[in-house]
Amino acid sequence: MLLCIDCGNTNTVFSIWDGREFLCTLRTSTHHARTADAYFTWYSTLIKHYGIDTDITDVIISSTVPRVVFNLRVFSDRFFGCRPMVVGRPECLLPIQARVDAGTAVGPDRLVNSAGAFDRHGGDLIVVDFGTATTFDVVAEDGAYVGGVIAPGVNLSLEALHMGAAALPHVDISRPDKVIGTNTVQCIQSGVFWGYVGLVTGITERIRKEYARPMRIIGTGGLAPLFAQGDMLFDTIEDDLTMHGLTVIHAYNKENGIAHEQ
């Protein structure tokens, strides 16, 4: 079985893939000081809770936090006896290479999302990922990542507003019943929710105009379903897009004779 690990700035997600479907998905906060032993204690406890009998033979990692990769590699090597593939390393091949400015380091999450989206939907896509940052990834006709946009994430914006304006409370994001708020919480919720609807609409329209081809918009990330309520922002929502992309990249490397990172 394949263990897919997606380490973002806020959360780290583990999913077990049996070749046909994901058996379970586990989530923990990202912490660069977490040791391999701590990962295994957390992982094995939850696996027992779910009652899943797993035999992990392969591991693939995508991480936007470089400092956690070492302990995840030790975790894989020590407890599963395999060296993981790490997206973004030269040894881990991509089905289609990114076409960006020379010397540009593309985030592994964006490469993985592009691979997963192309596998499911073909090319000419905009992938909108609501994570710590809100990212827009442009996937070309042949599946290559060709650039995009990075904006502050929703929760990051809320936290900055709360920290920068002492009189404003911290609120949870939700779709307000109306645009005009009649109290402080409603005003903040309206500004953030409809502000991000406008952000997504405006940026995707400009990308489509600049790209000059029909494009489909794929939403992913934890808040994508919430914003799908606000307008016809997305053609489809993929809640497991990143994990699917990891299985696609892993399969491509296996087919090309690269079993593990050395």
Side-chain angles (χ1 to χ4, degrees), residues 127-146:
V127 180
V128 185
D129 188 351
F130 291 90
T132 303
T134 300
T135 59
F136 299 73
D137 303 326
V138 180
V139 183
E141 182 181 16
D142 64 352
Y145 169 85
V146 294

Side-chain angles (χ1 to χ4, degrees), residues 69-153:
V69 173
F70 174 77
N71 283 327
L72 287 172
R73 292 177 65 178
V74 173
F75 163 76
S76 174
D77 189 36
R78 179 178 298 168
F79 297 107
F80 304 121
C82 67
R83 299 289 286 173
M85 297 179 189
V86 181
V87 178
R89 298 289 177 86
E91 298 84 359
C92 184
L93 302 180
L94 299 174
I96 303 292
Q97 290 299 313
R99 292 196 293 273
V100 294
D101 293 344
T104 299
V106 180
D109 55 331
R110 310 185 81 177
L111 299 173
V112 171
N113 281 349
S114 297
F118 179 72
D119 183 69
R120 284 181 170 171
H121 303 285
D124 295 333
L125 306 173
I126 304 170
V127 180
V128 185
D129 188 351
F130 291 90
T132 303
T134 300
T135 59
F136 299 73
D137 303 326
V138 180
V139 183
E141 182 181 16
D142 64 352
Y145 169 85
V146 294
V149 176
I150 301 175

Side-chain angles (χ1 to χ4, degrees), residues 109 205 238-239 242:
D109 55 331
E205 285 180 354
E238 300 278 2
D239 59 358
T242 301

Side-chain angles (χ1 to χ4, degrees), residues 33-46:
R34 184 173 283 123
T35 64
D37 291 344
Y39 276 117
F40 185 73
T41 299
W42 165 81
Y43 170 86
S44 59
T45 299
L46 286 180

